[in-house]
Amino acid sequence: TIFVKEGRIISSASDDPTEQLGQFLLSHGKITEDDLRRGLEAQAKTKVLLGKILLMVGAIKEDELKRLLVMKAEATIFSLFLWSEAHFDFLDGELPKDLFVPISLAMQDVLMKGLTIIDELRHIRAQLGSGGTILARTKMPMPAGYPADRSVGKAVLGLVDGKRTITDICLALHASEFTVSKFLFHLFEQKHIEVIQKVESEPGNANPSDRPFMSEDLLVSHGKERMAAGDYEAAIDLLAQAV
């Protein structure tokens, strides 16, 4: 569910387990399994929001929680751009009564970031394949202190064992494909992991027509930005769609 007020996104909600607050904080290494278990038990008894409970018990600091709540809301919204098909309902005037941490996102910014995510995931899939791909560790030593303890990278690396698929890792961490794939691709580029069984992405996932609708003006604007950044291939692709 995406909540929009006066043309700006002010909140979001999802029943996807990977996008619920507790799992989101857990997958990002900000709380422990015990923190989450105790928080959920307290929530069931008191009906207080999980975020407020975690603050009260000192599991996380307020500034960090607010930053992560905004990240979670954006992740929920951006996940829509990865769907190949969907059915939408529009309900006029139904807005949340109590926003723990309100956000305010411009539609144009969301479209721009959503397009960037699709481009990045398409590039990753071209190298690693789909969720069915199996990866393994290489003999390349990791730099001291990397990935940091309780980080997403540390958790992802710990599950790369030559048996689990990318989808298996996502499910184990309760994390989205995009979040996990970014770390896997970085480790792959640094030669810390390798592909031992590649399953190619479905043809539909690599089709430029899967991108969200964008007006000609927005495509041109984004194309110019890519051109200025030196990403000429992406710029040409965007400008071609605007023709």
Side-chain angles (χ1 to χ4, degrees), residues 6-186:
E6 298 176 355
R8 298 181 71 86
I9 297 171
I10 62 168
S11 183
S12 68
S14 173
D15 60 3
D16 183 339
T18 68
E19 295 175 10
Q20 293 172 8
L21 177 60
Q23 298 297 344
F24 187 84
L25 296 176
L26 186 64
S27 68
H28 282 71
K30 302 304 179 182
I31 61 174
T32 66
E33 291 274 5
D34 285 342
D35 291 332
L36 179 57
R37 176 181 55 79
R38 288 194 293 267
L40 291 174
E41 288 174 352
Q43 184 183 38
K45 295 176 182 178
T46 65
K47 307 303 180 184
V48 175
L49 292 173
L50 178 61
K52 290 185 178 179
I53 292 173
L54 294 173
L55 280 179
M56 291 167 60
V57 300
I60 191 170
K61 295 181 179 179
E62 185 174 359
D63 289 346
E64 182 76 351
L65 178 60
K66 288 183 177 181
R67 183 179 68 84
L68 286 160
L69 281 169
V70 173
M71 285 177 57
K72 186 191 79 66
E74 290 181 335
T76 297
I77 296 166
F78 298 150
S79 68
L80 302 180
F81 292 97
L82 303 179
W83 295 357
S84 58
E85 58 183 45
H87 171 79
F88 295 93
D89 290 320
F90 174 73
L91 305 177
D92 190 16
E94 295 195 11
L95 297 174
K97 296 179 180 179
D98 181 26
L99 292 178
F100 184 38
V101 178
I103 62 174
S104 180
L105 298 175
M107 288 291 185
Q108 179 169 317
D109 292 342
V110 170
L111 286 172
M112 301 277 269
K113 290 182 180 179
L115 179 57
T116 299
I117 285 174
I118 289 175
D119 284 342
E120 188 173 349
L121 187 57
R122 181 183 293 114
H123 176 65
I124 292 172
R125 283 174 174 170
Q127 299 296 316
L128 300 183
S130 68
T133 293
I134 297 175
L135 303 158
R137 295 282 298 271
T138 66
K139 295 181 179 179
M140 177 72 71
M142 301 292 296
Y146 178 82
D149 289 339
R150 293 188 64 182
S151 68
V152 181
K154 186 78 169 183
V156 169
L157 184 62
L159 291 171
V160 175
D161 59 1
K163 298 178 182 179
R164 290 185 175 92
T165 64
I166 294 175
T167 298
D168 290 336
I169 295 173
C170 293
L171 292 173
L173 293 178
H174 306 288
S176 69
E177 177 191 357
F178 181 66
T179 297
V180 170
S181 294
K182 282 199 302 182
F183 284 99
L184 288 174
F185 186 64
H186 178 71

